[in-house]
Structures are given as C-alpha cells and as structure tokens.
Amino acid sequence: MSKIDAGAGSQAGAQAAAGAGAAGSQKGARATSRTSAKVIDRIATGVFYVVAAFFILLLASITAYILYKGALAASPELLSFVGDGVGIQLFNTVYLVFLSLLVTMPVGIMTGLFMAEYAGSGFFVAITRTCIEALSSLPSIIVGLFGFLVFIQMTHSKWSLWAGSLSLAIINVPLIARTTEDAMRSVPRSYYDGSIALGASRWQTVTHVLLKASIPRIITGMILAAGRGFGEAAVLLYTSGMSSDVNFHDWNPLSPTSPLNPLRSADTLSVRIWSLKTEGIAANSQQIADLAAAILILLVFVFSLGSRALGRRLQKRMLSGN
Amino acid sequence: METETCVQTSALNLYYSDFQALRSVSLAIPRKHITALIGPSGCGKSSFLKVLNRMTDLIDHCRVEGQVLLADEDIYAAAVDPIMLRKRVGMVFQKPNPFPMSIYDNIAYGPRLHGQKGKHQLDEIVEKSLAAAALWEETKDRLKKSALSLSGGQQQRLSIARALAVEPELLLMDEPTSALDPISTGKIEELVFELKRSYTIIIVTHNMQQAVRISDMTGFFLLGELVEFANTNNMFTAPQDKRTEDYITGRFG
C-alpha cells in the first residue's frame, strides 16, 4: 500500500487479489508438505507394522512349536505326580518361586523403601545403589555357584528348595528394591505433605500412604521376579538340585519326602528340561523334556495373565472404588 | 470488637539457606475469624502458613527465628511434638490431594492415626466431617468408592473434611480454590464462611475479591514483610500504606 491517493476500491481489490494469491500459493506449499508428511507417515507406520508382525509371528511359531511337541508327548503317565511325571516338577517350580518370593518381597520392598525415603543422597547411598545394580546384573551361574558355596557347603547341608529359593532371591531382591524405589518416588509429593499435615509421622506416611499407592507397580515387579524364577535353571542347578524324591500322599512339611518340606532337593521344570536335554539317557527323555517345556510356557502364561488381572483390579479399586 | 487471639507471631524470621523469606513478621490472628493473606507470588504468605504447622521442619536448610504462640503456647519450644501440633493445626493445600483410597478411609485417616479405632466412632466422625464440608449428601451412598473418582471441587471439599476430622483449632488454607472452576470456588467460599463459626481460618489467596468476600481480617505481604494488617473492609477501602494501595488497585503484582 504505497499509494495513498489510489482509489479505495481498486486498492481493496488489489489487496484482496494479492491476499488470495498469497493464500493460494501458501496453501499449495502446505499441501505438498502435508502430502509428503502423510506419505512418510504411512511408510513409517507400514515399517513398524511389518517389524511388529515379524516378531509376533516368530514368537507365535516358537510357542506353537513347543506346545505342539508337548501335546505329542503328553500321556497320562507323564502328566502325573509320580515316577517320570512332570507334575512333580510343576509343583516344585511353583513352590520354589513361592518360597523365593516369601523372602524376596519383604527384603526387596524394605530396601526400596529405605532407598526412596530414608537413605538421602550421600556417598554411602550412591555406593549401595551401584552395588544393588551390579547384583542384579550378575550372571546367574555365578549366583548359583555362590549359593552352592554359602547355602550348602558352608551350612553342611544338601541341595534343597530353601537353598534354591535364597539363591533366586539374590537375583530378584535388586529388581524388587528398584521397582519399589521407583514406585515410591513417583508418588505425588502432595500425598506426603497431606499426610504429614494431618499429624502423621514419617513412618506412618510411608507405610499407610506411599507404600499403598505403590502397590500396583510393586506387583508388576513381582510378576517379573516370578517370571525369572520360573525360567531360571543356572541358579538352581547347584542349589535346589537335579532330582526329587517326593511322595504326594505325605503333606507333613517335616517329613523328608513331603512335597512341602523346604529342605528336600527339588528339580524345577527348566532344570529338568536342561538335564534331560544334556544328559538324559532314558528312552523317553526327549518326550519328557518337550512336555515339560510346554507346561512351563503354559505356567508362565497363566501366571502373567492372573497377576496382571489382580494388579488391574487393585488399581481399579484404588482409583474408582469398584 | 474485642476478640480472643488464636495465634500470635512476634519478630518472626524465616530463612531458606541464605534467603530470608519472612522479615520480622508480628501479627495476631483472631479466633473464629477468617484471616486472608494476600500479596504477590513469592512474598512469603505461603511460607508464613508453613511456619504455623511446622511444615517448615520438612524443608532442608530452613530456619525459623522469633516466636509463634498458639493459644499462648510456644510451638517452637523444645517440648512441643510437631506431630501433635499438626493435629491441632490443619492444612488444606492448593491442589486437592485426596489419598488413593476410599472416601471413608480418607476421612478416617487422621482419626485412625491418632488412635481412634472404634467402627462406630469412626462412622460418626466421617459423617460429621463430610457434613461440615458440605459433601455428605453427595457422597453418603459411595463412601467405599475411591476418593479419586470425585470431581476437583469435591476433592477439595474432601481435603477440607479430612482436615476437620482431627478437629483442629486452626485451619490453614493455601490458595484452596486456585485449581478450581468458579462454581466449585463459590462452594468452597460458602463452606469456609460457614466454618468460621467453629474454626479459626487463615486463607492465602491470590484473588482479592475472594479476600473481600469471605475474610474479616486481611494481611498484605510484600517481599517477606507484613506491610499492613487490618480489618478487611478498612484495608480495601482505606489502605494505610501506599504499597498496599498500589497492590490492591492493581498497579503491580
């Protein structure tokens, strides 16, 4: 608008035309960039789908293969709780993981709680945190041999469920400690202040409010820890042993062959698979291993779904009160 | 109008490390009245509240000098247990902060901490506190539902009810409506006005209309200093200090 004396009408017209032109070319540019962005978006989405599909297919085919081989090997005798039946190992696996969690959860939660709320940020704490992290990344065979040395040789005892559980706890305590610490730290500060302002002590606040609010995440940690326990073999080879002498009619925990006796030796599903595949000499050892593998996969599957449902229910109860 | 004093501070100084957040603040809060504290952000009014229930104890490198008398008792005396003090001085925060538990458990939290276990007594306290916070009618059929299922305004009234459940002598409110919509704000203001029959209330607010609407006394803080403390009507119609006048007429802040 340089010409002040130009007619108002023509000026407005020129302005409108210029405006439209500018808008038009701008729209064109935007349209091209939008089209190319759209194309890139489509390509990226496509690539992700292909990659995801590949891995899902891979996982599904491995699972299907294991389940198929297991189904072929299944027989009433192998599914039983006597002789070669893998029912024994199924029970051992669940019981060992249960015993291990009995140790892991309180120790891990207390450690995480201490790290999150009491430890502060000194030199000592930094060292402790590093140690905990190092502990969680130890190779499991090292932990297994350590467990053998400490829980079996040094106590002059034999392979036992208990020694296996404690060794497994060494691997899982750092995981639970870390999960608890993270969960407690992510609880809003306003909960802490609100509780303190009502006259709660620090301990009351930590246990009644912060820990409660952390439960869903701690359960997630527990699922991971249990999963590790189900699949673990190296830790247990030298600690809980490679054989089971067990009588499923005797439920007195003090009796040496009782399934519940924590001091008996016990092979879990994954230990059994390992021993059968490496040194099995019986004619049907391959079949037993196949069946044990299928049952192990089913066990992990059922457990994950179950505890996830439980976690969801707890969370829902906290958030909406149903 | 002669009134009893609930809290009195004299020559109160507060330091965060080297920073002085309160400068020689002396004032007397009248019992069963609403006192509003106004002033620009960072002027020390919220810090002043934290001194009154010793939430300052939780802050590292925080130091309090001077005297704070609650019902003639020095709350910074060595014999005073801050936990017992916080039972007597309740606090409501800027953002509603119900705990992730049921409505009932939220209200019963404080009384349970202080040893109340009887189911019957707890039921009574819960009903009384929710009723006092004008929330009973809305929640009586859903006490077992999570407090987080309530709306923002309801959550703030729940926070107030939770503070009332331990029967404090003094209720501190730190900008309790700043996170709420106008309707919820109106409800909270009505509620606060009702509560002054039985409680002494100190409310920090950024909203000067709010101070005018609900408070009896107003204190104006600026840079850690209590510039003026007066009857609310007097302060907003005839401020004594030039700085107060500038602030309430919107010339800064």
Side-chain angles (χ1 to χ4, degrees):
Chain A
M1 264 197 289
S2 53
K3 275 194 176 173
I4 299 166
D5 59 341
S10 74
Q11 204 180 29
Q15 226 177 329
S25 68
Q26 234 173 4
K27 207 191 254 169
R30 226 183 296 144
T32 3
S33 78
R34 207 188 297 137
T35 341
S36 70
K38 253 186 195 161
V39 170
I40 292 171
D41 189 48
R42 283 226 184 95
I43 293 174
T45 313
V47 168
F48 287 135
Y49 270 113
V50 169
V51 171
F54 172 74
F55 282 105
I56 289 172
L57 208 66
L58 193 67
L59 189 68
S61 53
I62 293 173
T63 312
Y65 178 73
I66 293 172
L67 291 178
Y68 171 71
K69 296 275 277 184
L72 283 187
S75 69
E77 190 216 335
L78 292 186
L79 282 168
S80 73
F81 286 83
V82 287
D84 282 340
V86 292
I88 299 168
Q89 284 75 35
L90 174 62
F91 178 85
N92 286 345
T93 309
V94 173
Y95 191 41
L96 187 133
V97 166
F98 169 75
L99 285 177
S100 177
L101 289 179
L102 226 49
V103 180
T104 307
M105 295 313 289
V107 176
I109 289 174
M110 293 304 277
T111 312
L113 189 153
F114 173 77
M115 301 293 279
E117 294 301 326
Y118 288 87
S121 51
F123 177 70
F124 172 73
V125 180
I127 297 274
T128 313
R129 188 164 288 130
T130 313
C131 288
I132 291 180
E133 262 156 37
L135 200 59
S136 66
S137 52
L138 276 183
S140 26
I141 188 68
I142 305 287
V143 175
L145 290 168
F146 174 83
F148 177 65
L149 181 72
V150 174
F151 303 130
I152 294 178
Q153 286 208 324
M154 286 167 73
T155 60
H156 304 287
S157 52
K158 287 194 192 133
W159 292 317
S160 71
L161 276 166
W162 191 230
S165 311
L166 290 176
S167 308
L168 198 55
I170 293 178
I171 291 204
N172 279 334
V173 163
L175 173 73
I176 298 299
R178 195 59 207 251
T179 314
T180 307
E181 187 186 347
D182 287 349
M184 302 258 284
R185 281 187 196 280
S186 67
V187 174
R189 169 82 195 182
S190 64
Y191 291 175
Y192 187 88
D193 287 346
S195 172
I196 292 287
L198 283 169
S201 68
R202 190 177 186 183
W203 176 249
Q204 286 170 325
T205 301
V206 166
T207 51
H208 294 355
V209 178
L210 302 193
L211 199 57
K212 237 183 194 166
S214 307
I215 285 176
R217 287 183 65 174
I218 295 177
I219 286 184
T220 311
M222 192 182 83
I223 298 173
L224 292 175
R228 179 97 198 239
F230 289 136
E232 192 55 61
V235 167
L236 303 173
L237 288 178
Y238 300 104
T239 51
S240 58
M242 293 199 268
S243 62
S244 308
D245 178 16
V246 58
N247 171 8
F248 274 86
H249 296 291
D250 181 1
W251 291 95
N252 174 5
L254 299 176
S255 147
T257 56
S258 160
L260 292 179
N261 187 341
L263 295 176
R264 72 181 169 89
S265 88
D267 52 347
T268 64
L269 286 167
S270 42
V271 170
R272 185 104 193 270
I273 296 166
W274 183 84
S275 63
L276 287 169
K277 286 281 183 189
T278 52
E279 50 198 41
I281 41 169
N284 60 351
S285 56
Q286 294 305 316
Q287 277 78 19
I288 301 174
D290 289 344
L291 180 62
I295 288 186
L296 181 55
I297 276 212
L298 287 175
L299 173 65
V300 171
F301 194 64
V302 168
F303 179 82
S304 296
L305 285 185
S307 33
R308 230 166 266 263
L310 177 77
R312 242 201 318 270
R313 246 183 64 191
L314 278 175
Q315 181 128 28
K316 210 170 151 194
R317 220 171 61 191
M318 261 191 248
L319 296 182
S320 67
N322 285 324
Chain B
M1 185 169 64
E2 274 303 306
T3 47
E4 212 182 321
T5 297
C6 178
V7 193
Q8 178 152 21
T9 70
S10 35
L12 184 69
N13 289 319
L14 175 73
Y15 302 86
Y16 297 122
S17 295
D18 296 331
F19 174 72
Q20 187 170 1
L22 291 176
R23 294 168 190 274
S24 191
V25 174
S26 301
L27 88 173
I29 307 279
R31 190 176 289 282
K32 296 196 180 174
H33 282 69
I34 299 172
T35 303
L37 302 180
I38 59 170
S41 300
C43 67
K45 54 197 192 308
S46 292
S47 294
F48 181 77
L49 281 194
K50 285 185 191 151
V51 168
L52 298 183
N53 69 346
R54 289 185 60 173
M55 289 296 272
T56 44
D57 291 9
L58 307 180
I59 304 167
D60 289 337
H61 312 295
C62 178
R63 193 157 47 87
V64 177
E65 282 172 4
Q67 203 179 34
V68 184
L69 298 178
L70 174 65
D72 294 325
E73 190 190 338
D74 182 359
I75 65 167
Y76 280 87
V80 171
D81 178 0
I83 288 174
M84 287 321 291
L85 170 72
R86 292 186 196 121
K87 185 179 178 303
R88 295 168 60 193
V89 184
M91 189 163 195
V92 175
F93 297 82
Q94 194 170 346
K95 260 180 67 189
N97 60 346
F99 303 135
M101 42 180 97
S102 71
I103 294 168
Y104 185 98
D105 288 339
N106 262 280
I107 307 297
Y109 183 80
R112 277 180 180 145
L113 286 180
H114 302 294
Q116 182 58 263
K117 290 205 174 66
K119 167 103 177 67
H120 186 66
Q121 286 94 322
L122 283 174
D123 286 352
E124 225 165 73
I125 293 173
V126 169
E127 175 168 355
K128 216 177 91 194
S129 311
L130 285 171
L135 195 58
W136 175 249
E137 285 306 316
E138 291 154 70
T139 55
K140 63 181 177 188
D141 299 323
R142 48 195 288 208
L143 293 174
K144 295 290 167 203
K145 299 251 179 189
S146 168
L148 302 181
S149 66
L150 297 173
S151 74
Q154 289 174 324
Q155 288 190 7
Q156 192 61 304
R157 275 180 282 149
L158 180 84
S159 306
I160 295 172
R162 191 174 62 188
L164 297 180
V166 294
E167 300 187 328
E169 296 163 42
L170 170 64
L171 191 57
L172 310 174
M173 302 182 131
D174 190 358
E175 297 181 43
T177 61
S178 65
L180 303 179
D181 63 74
I183 292 172
S184 306
T185 300
K187 282 188 180 166
I188 301 270
E189 286 180 8
E190 260 171 54
L191 167 61
V192 171
F193 203 76
E194 278 299 308
L195 288 176
K196 81 166 175 178
R197 284 187 215 198
S198 344
Y199 297 92
T200 308
I201 293 166
I202 307 180
I203 180 167
V204 163
T205 178
H206 267 294
N207 181 335
M208 280 180 275
Q209 283 74 40
Q210 184 169 66
V212 174
R213 281 195 296 263
I214 63 176
S215 72
D216 303 299
M217 302 290 289
T218 299
F220 171 57
F221 280 80
L222 186 63
L223 301 171
E225 208 181 311
L226 179 66
V227 174
E228 191 165 343
F229 183 61
N231 182 294
T232 301
N233 277 334
N234 294 350
M235 172 163 312
F236 282 93
T237 50
Q240 299 297 304
D241 195 290
K242 179 79 174 65
R243 291 169 293 175
T244 314
E245 191 184 340
D246 285 349
Y247 183 70
I248 60 180
T249 53
R251 244 164 266 169
F252 70 91

